Amino acid sequence: MIERTAVREFEQAPQSSIETNRPKRVRKLVKPIIYTGLIVTAVICFIPFLMMMVNATRSNEEILAGFTLIPGHALMENYRTMMDYINIWSGFKNSLVISILVTCLSGYFSALTAYGFAFYTFKGKNFLFVFMLVMMMVPGQLGLIGFYELSKNLGILDSFIPLIVPAVASPFVVFFLRQYLQTTLHPSLIEAARIDGASEFKIFHTVAIPVMMPAVATMSIFTFIGSWNNYITPLVILFSPEKYPLPVLMGFLKGSQVAQNLGSMYLGIAISVVPIMVAFLFLSKYIVSSISAGSIKE
């Protein structure tokens, strides 16, 4: 009897070790496949940007000749051709000023509004929040004519004010920050700060803002990109060429003789894309932290 049990234990031991080693083998096989897929995806996503940078240095004949990743020698020629028709650095400055102001003001006031919706009780709170959600579903182009008439009556046409002030009130940013606050900031922290004698604005700046920074940074990326790529509103509101942002100037560039020079077009597009890539590189790390916030409960 003892011999039989010993034989059974001997026969079962290798099977259990095989079963325990099987997940490790699967993980060893799956991990290289995942990394390979990620590398291939990253290369595929990077190739269009690399082509844009390379074509900005090539002449029109070289671009039409075919695809290559070897840079050309026509960068300065393309730059001079582009600058003969538009002052791209003036548009770059205008877009940068508008986008930075919109991003900073929208981030701060949206955070303040989201904090009020999350932790204060007042009359009409639910109605205002539902109204804000409804406004998220209305395309901004529908009110463009009315917005033009309002700006005309206020005397703010051909200025940056209509491009900055209305963009500060962003329903989607407020909604996102409110949901983020309710997940990450416990009301007991606010009550503790009130007991310590802190004012409401001090609580907001010292307790709420540090907690909201990952979400604010995430929304700042999309706000900056949306403001930088805004084309239709500046086209309607602005009349002076020296006040045009970069997207409007690029639109004029497509309708000029420069459109026949593909290298100049690629160069202008490359210059317009650089700030978006820089903003994403510096703020992209906050996207993961803001998305994963609240996923683990202690």
Coordinates of all heavy atoms in Angstrom, one line a residue, residues 200-292:
E200 N -12.3 79.0 1.3 CA -12.7 78.1 0.2 C -11.7 78.2 -0.9 O -11.4 77.2 -1.6 CB -14.1 78.5 -0.2 CG -15.2 78.3 0.9 CD -15.3 76.8 1.3 OE1 -15.2 76.0 0.4 OE2 -15.5 76.6 2.5
F201 N -11.3 79.4 -1.2 CA -10.3 79.5 -2.4 C -9.0 78.9 -2.0 O -8.3 78.3 -2.9 CB -10.1 81.0 -2.7 CG -11.1 81.5 -3.7 CD1 -12.2 82.2 -3.4 CD2 -10.9 81.2 -5.1 CE1 -13.1 82.7 -4.3 CE2 -11.8 81.6 -6.0 CZ -12.9 82.4 -5.6
K202 N -8.6 79.0 -0.7 CA -7.3 78.3 -0.3 C -7.5 76.8 -0.4 O -6.5 76.1 -0.8 CB -7.0 78.7 1.1 CG -5.6 78.2 1.5 CD -5.2 78.8 2.9 CE -3.8 78.3 3.2 NZ -3.4 78.9 4.6
I203 N -8.6 76.3 0.0 CA -8.9 74.8 -0.1 C -8.8 74.4 -1.6 O -8.2 73.4 -1.9 CB -10.2 74.5 0.4 CG1 -10.2 74.7 2.0 CG2 -10.6 73.0 0.2 CD1 -11.6 74.5 2.6
F204 N -9.4 75.2 -2.5 CA -9.3 74.9 -3.9 C -7.9 74.9 -4.4 O -7.5 74.0 -5.2 CB -10.2 75.9 -4.7 CG -10.1 75.8 -6.2 CD1 -10.6 74.7 -6.8 CD2 -9.4 76.7 -6.9 CE1 -10.5 74.6 -8.2 CE2 -9.3 76.6 -8.3 CZ -9.8 75.5 -8.9
H205 N -7.1 75.9 -4.0 CA -5.8 76.0 -4.6 C -4.8 75.0 -4.0 O -3.8 74.6 -4.6 CB -5.3 77.4 -4.4 CG -6.0 78.4 -5.3 ND1 -6.9 79.3 -4.9 CD2 -5.8 78.6 -6.7 CE1 -7.4 80.0 -5.9 NE2 -6.7 79.7 -7.0
T206 N -5.0 74.7 -2.7 CA -4.0 73.8 -2.0 C -4.4 72.4 -1.9 O -3.5 71.5 -1.7 CB -3.7 74.4 -0.6 OG1 -5.0 74.4 0.1 CG2 -3.2 75.8 -0.6
V207 N -5.7 72.1 -2.0 CA -6.1 70.7 -1.9 C -6.6 70.2 -3.2 O -6.2 69.1 -3.7 CB -7.2 70.6 -0.8 CG1 -7.7 69.1 -0.7 CG2 -6.7 71.0 0.6
A208 N -7.6 70.9 -3.8 CA -8.2 70.4 -5.1 C -7.3 70.4 -6.3 O -7.2 69.4 -7.0 CB -9.5 71.2 -5.3
I209 N -6.6 71.6 -6.5 CA -5.8 71.7 -7.7 C -4.7 70.6 -7.8 O -4.5 70.0 -8.8 CB -5.2 73.1 -7.8 CG1 -6.3 74.1 -8.2 CG2 -4.0 73.2 -8.7 CD1 -6.7 73.9 -9.7
P210 N -3.9 70.4 -6.7 CA -2.9 69.3 -6.8 C -3.5 68.0 -7.1 O -2.8 67.2 -7.9 CB -2.2 69.3 -5.4 CG -2.5 70.7 -4.9 CD -3.8 71.1 -5.4
V211 N -4.7 67.7 -6.6 CA -5.3 66.4 -6.9 C -5.7 66.3 -8.4 O -5.7 65.3 -9.1 CB -6.5 66.1 -6.0 CG1 -7.2 64.9 -6.4 CG2 -6.0 66.0 -4.6
M212 N -6.2 67.5 -8.9 CA -6.7 67.5 -10.3 C -5.7 67.7 -11.4 O -6.0 67.7 -12.6 CB -7.7 68.7 -10.4 CG -8.9 68.6 -9.4 SD -9.9 70.1 -9.4 CE -10.5 70.2 -11.0
M213 N -4.4 67.9 -11.0 CA -3.4 68.3 -12.0 C -3.3 67.2 -13.1 O -3.1 67.6 -14.3 CB -2.1 68.5 -11.3 CG -1.9 69.9 -10.7 SD -2.2 71.2 -12.0 CE -0.9 70.9 -13.2
P214 N -3.3 65.9 -12.8 CA -3.2 65.0 -13.9 C -4.3 65.1 -14.9 O -4.1 65.1 -16.1 CB -3.2 63.6 -13.3 CG -2.7 63.9 -11.9 CD -3.2 65.2 -11.5
A215 N -5.6 65.3 -14.4 CA -6.7 65.5 -15.3 C -6.6 66.8 -16.0 O -7.0 66.9 -17.2 CB -8.0 65.4 -14.5
V216 N -6.2 67.9 -15.4 CA -6.1 69.2 -16.0 C -5.0 69.1 -17.1 O -5.2 69.7 -18.2 CB -5.7 70.3 -15.0 CG1 -5.4 71.6 -15.6 CG2 -6.8 70.5 -14.0
A217 N -3.9 68.5 -16.8 CA -2.9 68.3 -17.9 C -3.4 67.5 -19.1 O -3.1 67.9 -20.2 CB -1.6 67.7 -17.3
T218 N -4.2 66.5 -18.8 CA -4.7 65.7 -19.9 C -5.6 66.5 -20.8 O -5.6 66.5 -22.0 CB -5.5 64.5 -19.3 OG1 -4.6 63.7 -18.6 CG2 -6.1 63.7 -20.5
M219 N -6.5 67.3 -20.1 CA -7.5 68.1 -20.9 C -6.7 69.3 -21.6 O -7.1 69.8 -22.6 CB -8.5 68.7 -20.0 CG -9.6 67.7 -19.5 SD -10.6 67.0 -20.9 CE -9.8 65.5 -21.3
S220 N -5.6 69.7 -21.0 CA -4.8 70.8 -21.6 C -4.3 70.4 -22.9 O -4.1 71.2 -23.8 CB -3.7 71.2 -20.6 OG -4.2 71.8 -19.4
I221 N -3.9 69.1 -23.1 CA -3.4 68.7 -24.4 C -4.4 68.8 -25.4 O -4.2 69.4 -26.5 CB -2.9 67.2 -24.2 CG1 -1.7 67.1 -23.3 CG2 -2.6 66.6 -25.6 CD1 -1.3 65.6 -23.0
F222 N -5.6 68.3 -25.1 CA -6.7 68.4 -26.2 C -7.2 69.8 -26.4 O -7.5 70.2 -27.5 CB -7.8 67.5 -25.7 CG -7.5 66.1 -25.5 CD1 -7.4 65.5 -24.3 CD2 -7.1 65.3 -26.6 CE1 -7.0 64.2 -24.1 CE2 -6.8 63.9 -26.5 CZ -6.7 63.4 -25.2
T223 N -7.2 70.6 -25.3 CA -7.6 72.0 -25.5 C -6.6 72.8 -26.4 O -6.9 73.5 -27.3 CB -7.7 72.7 -24.1 OG1 -8.6 72.0 -23.3 CG2 -8.2 74.2 -24.3
F224 N -5.3 72.5 -26.1 CA -4.2 73.2 -26.9 C -4.3 72.8 -28.4 O -4.2 73.6 -29.3 CB -2.9 72.9 -26.3 CG -1.7 73.5 -27.0 CD1 -1.3 74.8 -26.6 CD2 -1.0 72.9 -28.0 CE1 -0.3 75.5 -27.3 CE2 0.0 73.5 -28.7 CZ 0.4 74.8 -28.3
I225 N -4.5 71.5 -28.6 CA -4.5 71.0 -30.0 C -5.8 71.6 -30.7 O -5.7 72.0 -31.8 CB -4.6 69.5 -30.0 CG1 -3.2 68.9 -29.5 CG2 -4.9 68.9 -31.4 CD1 -3.2 67.4 -29.3
G226 N -6.9 71.6 -30.0 CA -8.1 72.1 -30.6 C -8.0 73.6 -30.9 O -8.5 74.0 -32.0
S227 N -7.4 74.3 -30.0 CA -7.3 75.8 -30.3 C -6.2 76.0 -31.4 O -6.4 76.9 -32.2 CB -6.8 76.5 -29.0 OG -6.6 77.9 -29.2
W228 N -5.2 75.2 -31.4 CA -4.1 75.4 -32.4 C -4.7 75.1 -33.8 O -4.3 75.8 -34.8 CB -2.9 74.5 -32.1 CG -1.8 74.7 -33.0 CD1 -1.5 74.0 -34.2 CD2 -0.7 75.6 -32.9 NE1 -0.4 74.4 -34.7 CE2 0.2 75.4 -34.0 CE3 -0.4 76.5 -31.9 CZ2 1.3 76.1 -34.1 CZ3 0.8 77.3 -32.1 CH2 1.6 77.1 -33.2
N229 N -5.5 74.1 -33.9 CA -6.1 73.7 -35.2 C -7.3 74.4 -35.6 O -7.9 74.1 -36.6 CB -6.3 72.2 -35.2 CG -5.0 71.4 -35.1 OD1 -4.0 71.8 -35.6 ND2 -5.1 70.2 -34.5
N230 N -7.8 75.3 -34.8 CA -9.0 76.1 -35.0 C -8.9 76.9 -36.3 O -8.0 77.7 -36.4 CB -9.4 77.0 -33.9 CG -10.8 77.5 -34.0 OD1 -11.6 77.1 -34.9 ND2 -11.1 78.5 -33.2
Y231 N -9.8 76.6 -37.3 CA -9.7 77.3 -38.6 C -10.9 78.2 -38.9 O -10.7 79.3 -39.3 CB -9.5 76.2 -39.7 CG -9.5 76.8 -41.1 CD1 -8.5 77.5 -41.6 CD2 -10.7 76.6 -41.9 CE1 -8.5 78.0 -42.9 CE2 -10.7 77.1 -43.2 CZ -9.6 77.8 -43.7 OH -9.7 78.3 -44.9
I232 N -12.1 77.6 -38.7 CA -13.3 78.3 -39.2 C -13.6 79.6 -38.4 O -13.9 80.6 -39.0 CB -14.5 77.4 -39.1 CG1 -15.7 78.0 -39.8 CG2 -14.8 76.9 -37.7 CD1 -15.6 78.3 -41.2
T233 N -13.4 79.6 -37.1 CA -13.7 80.8 -36.3 C -12.8 81.9 -36.6 O -13.2 83.1 -36.8 CB -13.7 80.4 -34.8 OG1 -14.6 79.3 -34.5 CG2 -14.2 81.6 -33.9
P234 N -11.5 81.7 -36.6 CA -10.6 82.9 -36.9 C -10.8 83.4 -38.4 O -10.7 84.6 -38.6 CB -9.2 82.3 -36.8 CG -9.3 81.1 -35.9 CD -10.7 80.6 -36.2
L235 N -11.2 82.5 -39.3 CA -11.5 82.9 -40.7 C -12.6 83.8 -40.7 O -12.7 84.7 -41.6 CB -11.7 81.6 -41.5 CG -11.9 81.9 -43.0 CD1 -10.6 82.4 -43.6 CD2 -12.3 80.6 -43.7
V236 N -13.6 83.6 -39.8 CA -14.8 84.5 -39.9 C -14.6 85.8 -39.0 O -15.1 86.8 -39.4 CB -16.0 83.7 -39.3 CG1 -17.3 84.6 -39.1 CG2 -16.4 82.5 -40.2
I237 N -13.9 85.7 -37.9 CA -13.8 86.8 -37.0 C -12.7 87.8 -37.4 O -12.9 89.0 -37.3 CB -13.5 86.2 -35.6 CG1 -14.7 85.4 -35.1 CG2 -13.2 87.4 -34.6 CD1 -16.0 86.2 -35.0
L238 N -11.6 87.3 -37.9 CA -10.4 88.1 -38.2 C -10.4 88.6 -39.6 O -10.8 87.9 -40.5 CB -9.1 87.4 -37.9 CG -9.0 86.9 -36.4 CD1 -7.7 86.1 -36.3 CD2 -9.0 88.0 -35.5
F239 N -10.0 89.8 -39.8 CA -9.9 90.4 -41.2 C -8.5 90.9 -41.5 O -8.1 91.0 -42.7 CB -10.8 91.6 -41.3 CG -12.2 91.4 -40.8 CD1 -12.9 92.1 -39.9 CD2 -12.9 90.3 -41.4 CE1 -14.2 91.9 -39.5 CE2 -14.2 90.0 -41.0 CZ -14.8 90.8 -40.0
S240 N -7.7 91.2 -40.5 CA -6.3 91.7 -40.8 C -5.3 90.5 -41.0 O -5.3 89.6 -40.1 CB -5.8 92.5 -39.6 OG -6.7 93.6 -39.4
P241 N -4.6 90.5 -42.1 CA -3.7 89.4 -42.3 C -2.6 89.2 -41.2 O -2.2 88.1 -41.0 CB -3.0 89.7 -43.7 CG -4.0 90.7 -44.3 CD -4.7 91.4 -43.2
E242 N -2.2 90.3 -40.6 CA -1.2 90.2 -39.6 C -1.7 89.5 -38.3 O -0.9 89.1 -37.4 CB -0.6 91.5 -39.2 CG -1.5 92.5 -38.6 CD -2.3 93.3 -39.7 OE1 -2.2 93.0 -40.9 OE2 -3.0 94.3 -39.3
K243 N -3.0 89.4 -38.2 CA -3.6 88.7 -37.0 C -4.0 87.3 -37.3 O -4.5 86.6 -36.4 CB -4.8 89.5 -36.5 CG -4.5 90.9 -36.0 CD -5.7 91.6 -35.5 CE -5.4 93.0 -35.1 NZ -6.6 93.8 -34.6
Y244 N -3.8 86.8 -38.5 CA -4.3 85.4 -38.8 C -3.4 84.4 -38.1 O -2.2 84.5 -38.1 CB -4.1 85.2 -40.3 CG -5.2 85.9 -41.2 CD1 -4.9 86.2 -42.5 CD2 -6.4 86.2 -40.7 CE1 -5.9 86.8 -43.3 CE2 -7.4 86.8 -41.4 CZ -7.1 87.1 -42.7 OH -8.1 87.7 -43.5
P245 N -4.1 83.4 -37.5 CA -3.3 82.3 -37.0 C -2.8 81.4 -38.1 O -3.1 81.5 -39.2 CB -4.3 81.6 -36.1 CG -5.6 81.9 -36.7 CD -5.5 83.3 -37.3
L246 N -2.0 80.4 -37.7 CA -1.3 79.5 -38.6 C -2.3 78.7 -39.5 O -2.0 78.6 -40.7 CB -0.4 78.6 -37.9 CG 0.8 78.0 -38.7 CD1 1.6 79.1 -39.4 CD2 1.7 77.2 -37.8
P247 N -3.4 78.1 -39.0 CA -4.2 77.4 -39.9 C -4.8 78.2 -41.0 O -5.0 77.7 -42.1 CB -5.3 76.8 -38.9 CG -4.7 76.8 -37.6 CD -3.8 77.9 -37.6
V248 N -5.2 79.5 -40.7 CA -5.8 80.3 -41.7 C -4.7 80.6 -42.8 O -5.0 80.6 -44.0 CB -6.3 81.6 -41.1 CG1 -6.9 82.5 -42.2 CG2 -7.4 81.3 -40.1
L249 N -3.5 80.9 -42.3 CA -2.4 81.2 -43.3 C -2.1 79.9 -44.2 O -1.8 80.0 -45.4 CB -1.1 81.6 -42.6 CG -1.2 83.0 -41.9 CD1 0.2 83.3 -41.2 CD2 -1.4 84.0 -43.0
M250 N -2.2 78.8 -43.6 CA -1.9 77.5 -44.3 C -3.1 77.3 -45.4 O -2.8 76.8 -46.4 CB -1.9 76.3 -43.4 CG -0.6 76.3 -42.5 SD 0.9 76.4 -43.4 CE 0.8 74.9 -44.4
G251 N -4.3 77.7 -45.0 CA -5.4 77.7 -46.0 C -5.2 78.6 -47.1 O -5.4 78.2 -48.3
F252 N -4.6 79.8 -46.9 CA -4.3 80.7 -48.0 C -3.1 80.2 -48.8 O -3.1 80.4 -50.0 CB -4.0 82.1 -47.4 CG -5.2 82.8 -46.9 CD1 -5.0 83.8 -46.0 CD2 -6.4 82.5 -47.3 CE1 -6.1 84.5 -45.5 CE2 -7.5 83.2 -46.9 CZ -7.4 84.2 -45.9
L253 N -2.2 79.5 -48.1 CA -1.1 78.9 -48.9 C -1.5 77.9 -49.9 O -0.9 77.8 -50.9 CB -0.1 78.3 -47.9 CG 1.3 78.0 -48.4 CD1 2.0 79.2 -48.8 CD2 2.1 77.2 -47.3
K254 N -2.5 77.1 -49.5 CA -3.0 76.1 -50.5 C -3.6 76.7 -51.7 O -3.6 76.0 -52.8 CB -4.0 75.2 -49.7 CG -3.4 74.3 -48.6 CD -4.5 73.5 -48.0 CE -3.9 72.6 -46.8 NZ -4.9 71.8 -46.1
G255 N -4.2 77.9 -51.6 CA -4.8 78.5 -52.7 C -3.9 79.4 -53.5 O -4.3 80.0 -54.5
S256 N -2.6 79.5 -53.2 CA -1.7 80.3 -53.9 C -0.8 79.5 -54.8 O -1.0 78.3 -55.0 CB -0.8 81.1 -52.9 OG 0.0 80.2 -52.2
Q257 N 0.1 80.2 -55.5 CA 1.1 79.4 -56.4 C 2.0 78.5 -55.6 O 2.6 77.7 -56.2 CB 1.8 80.5 -57.2 CG 1.0 81.3 -58.1 CD 1.8 82.3 -58.9 OE1 3.0 82.3 -58.8 NE2 1.1 83.1 -59.7
V258 N 2.1 78.7 -54.3 CA 3.0 77.9 -53.5 C 2.5 76.4 -53.5 O 3.2 75.5 -53.3 CB 3.1 78.4 -52.1 CG1 4.1 77.6 -51.2 CG2 3.5 79.9 -52.1
A259 N 1.2 76.3 -53.7 CA 0.6 74.9 -53.7 C 1.2 74.0 -54.8 O 1.2 72.8 -54.7 CB -0.9 75.0 -53.9
Q260 N 1.8 74.7 -55.8 CA 2.5 73.9 -56.8 C 3.8 73.4 -56.4 O 4.4 72.5 -57.0 CB 2.7 74.7 -58.1 CG 1.3 75.2 -58.7 CD 1.5 76.2 -59.9 OE1 2.7 76.4 -60.3 NE2 0.4 76.7 -60.4
N261 N 4.4 74.0 -55.3 CA 5.6 73.6 -54.7 C 5.3 72.7 -53.5 O 5.1 73.2 -52.4 CB 6.5 74.8 -54.4 CG 7.9 74.4 -54.0 OD1 8.1 73.3 -53.5 ND2 8.8 75.3 -54.2
L262 N 5.3 71.4 -53.7 CA 5.0 70.5 -52.6 C 5.9 70.6 -51.4 O 5.6 70.4 -50.3 CB 4.9 69.1 -53.1 CG 3.8 68.8 -54.2 CD1 3.9 67.4 -54.7 CD2 2.5 69.2 -53.7
G263 N 7.2 70.9 -51.7 CA 8.2 71.0 -50.6 C 7.9 72.1 -49.7 O 8.0 72.0 -48.5
S264 N 7.4 73.3 -50.2 CA 7.0 74.4 -49.3 C 5.8 74.1 -48.5 O 5.7 74.5 -47.4 CB 6.8 75.6 -50.2 OG 7.9 76.0 -50.9
M265 N 4.9 73.4 -49.1 CA 3.7 72.9 -48.4 C 4.0 72.0 -47.2 O 3.5 72.2 -46.1 CB 2.7 72.2 -49.4 CG 2.1 73.2 -50.4 SD 0.9 74.4 -49.6 CE -0.3 73.3 -48.9
Y266 N 4.9 71.1 -47.5 CA 5.3 70.1 -46.5 C 6.1 70.9 -45.4 O 5.9 70.6 -44.2 CB 6.2 69.0 -47.0 CG 5.4 67.9 -47.6 CD1 5.5 67.6 -49.0 CD2 4.7 67.0 -46.8 CE1 4.8 66.6 -49.5 CE2 4.0 66.0 -47.3 CZ 4.0 65.7 -48.7 OH 3.3 64.7 -49.2
L267 N 6.9 71.9 -45.7 CA 7.6 72.7 -44.7 C 6.7 73.4 -43.8 O 6.8 73.5 -42.6 CB 8.6 73.6 -45.4 CG 9.4 74.5 -44.5 CD1 10.3 73.6 -43.6 CD2 10.3 75.4 -45.4
G268 N 5.6 74.1 -44.4 CA 4.7 74.8 -43.6 C 3.9 73.9 -42.7 O 3.7 74.2 -41.5
I269 N 3.5 72.7 -43.2 CA 2.8 71.8 -42.3 C 3.7 71.3 -41.2 O 3.3 71.1 -40.1 CB 2.3 70.6 -43.2 CG1 1.3 71.1 -44.2 CG2 1.7 69.5 -42.3 CD1 0.8 70.0 -45.2
A270 N 5.0 71.0 -41.5 CA 5.9 70.6 -40.5 C 6.1 71.6 -39.4 O 6.1 71.3 -38.2 CB 7.3 70.2 -41.1
I271 N 6.2 72.9 -39.7 CA 6.3 73.9 -38.7 C 5.0 74.0 -37.9 O 5.1 74.2 -36.7 CB 6.6 75.3 -39.4 CG1 8.0 75.2 -40.1 CG2 6.5 76.4 -38.4 CD1 8.3 76.5 -40.9
S272 N 3.9 73.8 -38.5 CA 2.6 73.9 -37.7 C 2.4 72.7 -36.8 O 1.7 72.8 -35.8 CB 1.4 74.0 -38.7 OG 1.3 72.8 -39.5
V273 N 3.0 71.6 -37.1 CA 2.8 70.4 -36.3 C 3.8 70.4 -35.0 O 3.5 69.7 -34.0 CB 3.0 69.1 -37.1 CG1 3.1 67.9 -36.3 CG2 1.9 69.0 -38.1
V274 N 4.9 71.0 -35.1 CA 5.9 71.0 -34.1 C 5.4 71.3 -32.7 O 5.6 70.6 -31.7 CB 7.1 71.8 -34.4 CG1 8.1 72.0 -33.2 CG2 7.9 71.2 -35.6
P275 N 4.6 72.4 -32.5 CA 4.1 72.7 -31.1 C 3.2 71.6 -30.5 O 3.3 71.4 -29.3 CB 3.4 74.0 -31.3 CG 4.0 74.6 -32.5 CD 4.3 73.5 -33.4
I276 N 2.4 71.0 -31.4 CA 1.5 70.0 -30.9 C 2.3 68.8 -30.4 O 2.0 68.2 -29.4 CB 0.6 69.5 -32.0 CG1 -0.3 70.7 -32.4 CG2 -0.3 68.4 -31.6 CD1 -1.2 70.4 -33.6
M277 N 3.4 68.4 -31.2 CA 4.2 67.3 -30.8 C 4.9 67.6 -29.5 O 5.1 66.7 -28.6 CB 5.2 66.9 -31.9 CG 4.5 66.5 -33.2 SD 5.7 66.2 -34.5 CE 6.6 64.8 -33.9
V278 N 5.4 68.8 -29.3 CA 6.1 69.2 -28.1 C 5.2 69.2 -26.9 O 5.5 68.7 -25.8 CB 6.8 70.6 -28.3 CG1 7.3 71.1 -26.9 CG2 7.9 70.6 -29.3
A279 N 4.0 69.7 -27.1 CA 3.0 69.7 -26.0 C 2.6 68.3 -25.6 O 2.5 68.0 -24.4 CB 1.7 70.5 -26.4
F280 N 2.5 67.4 -26.6 CA 2.1 66.0 -26.2 C 3.3 65.3 -25.5 O 3.1 64.5 -24.6 CB 1.8 65.3 -27.5 CG 1.3 63.9 -27.3 CD1 0.0 63.6 -26.9 CD2 2.1 62.8 -27.4 CE1 -0.5 62.3 -26.7 CE2 1.7 61.5 -27.2 CZ 0.4 61.3 -26.8
L281 N 4.5 65.6 -25.9 CA 5.7 64.9 -25.3 C 5.8 65.3 -23.9 O 6.1 64.5 -23.0 CB 6.9 65.3 -26.1 CG 7.1 64.6 -27.4 CD1 8.4 65.2 -28.1 CD2 7.2 63.1 -27.3
F282 N 5.5 66.6 -23.5 CA 5.7 67.0 -22.1 C 4.5 66.6 -21.3 O 4.7 66.5 -20.0 CB 5.9 68.5 -22.1 CG 7.3 69.0 -22.4 CD1 7.6 69.4 -23.7 CD2 8.3 68.9 -21.5 CE1 8.9 69.8 -24.0 CE2 9.6 69.3 -21.8 CZ 9.9 69.7 -23.1
L283 N 3.3 66.5 -21.8 CA 2.1 66.3 -21.0 C 1.5 64.9 -21.1 O 0.6 64.6 -20.4 CB 1.1 67.3 -21.3 CG 1.4 68.8 -21.1 CD1 0.3 69.7 -21.6 CD2 1.7 69.1 -19.6
S284 N 2.1 64.1 -22.0 CA 1.5 62.8 -22.3 C 1.5 61.8 -21.1 O 0.7 60.9 -20.9 CB 2.1 62.1 -23.5 OG 3.5 61.9 -23.3
K285 N 2.5 62.0 -20.2 CA 2.7 61.1 -19.1 C 1.5 61.3 -18.1 O 1.2 60.4 -17.3 CB 4.0 61.4 -18.3 CG 4.1 62.8 -17.7 CD 5.4 63.0 -17.0 CE 5.5 64.4 -16.4 NZ 6.8 64.6 -15.8
Y286 N 0.8 62.4 -18.1 CA -0.3 62.7 -17.2 C -1.6 61.9 -17.7 O -2.5 61.7 -17.0 CB -0.6 64.1 -17.1 CG 0.4 64.9 -16.4 CD1 1.3 65.7 -17.1 CD2 0.6 64.8 -15.0 CE1 2.3 66.5 -16.4 CE2 1.5 65.5 -14.3 CZ 2.4 66.4 -15.0 OH 3.4 67.1 -14.4
I287 N -1.6 61.5 -19.0 CA -2.8 60.9 -19.5 C -3.0 59.5 -18.8 O -4.1 59.2 -18.4 CB -2.7 60.7 -21.0 CG1 -2.7 62.0 -21.7 CG2 -3.8 59.8 -21.6 CD1 -2.6 61.9 -23.2
V288 N -1.9 58.7 -18.7 CA -2.0 57.4 -18.1 C -2.4 57.6 -16.6 O -3.3 56.9 -16.1 CB -0.7 56.7 -18.2 CG1 -0.7 55.4 -17.5 CG2 -0.3 56.5 -19.7
S289 N -1.8 58.5 -15.9 CA -2.1 58.7 -14.5 C -3.5 59.2 -14.3 O -4.2 58.8 -13.3 CB -1.1 59.7 -13.8 OG -1.2 61.0 -14.5
S290 N -4.1 60.0 -15.2 CA -5.4 60.5 -15.0 C -6.4 59.4 -15.3 O -7.5 59.3 -14.7 CB -5.7 61.7 -15.9 OG -5.6 61.4 -17.2
I291 N -6.1 58.6 -16.3 CA -7.0 57.5 -16.7 C -7.1 56.4 -15.6 O -8.1 55.8 -15.3 CB -6.6 56.9 -18.1 CG1 -6.9 57.9 -19.2 CG2 -7.4 55.6 -18.4 CD1 -6.4 57.5 -20.5
S292 N -5.9 56.1 -15.1 CA -5.8 55.0 -14.1 C -6.2 55.5 -12.7 O -6.4 54.7 -11.8 CB -4.4 54.5 -14.0 OG -3.5 55.5 -13.6

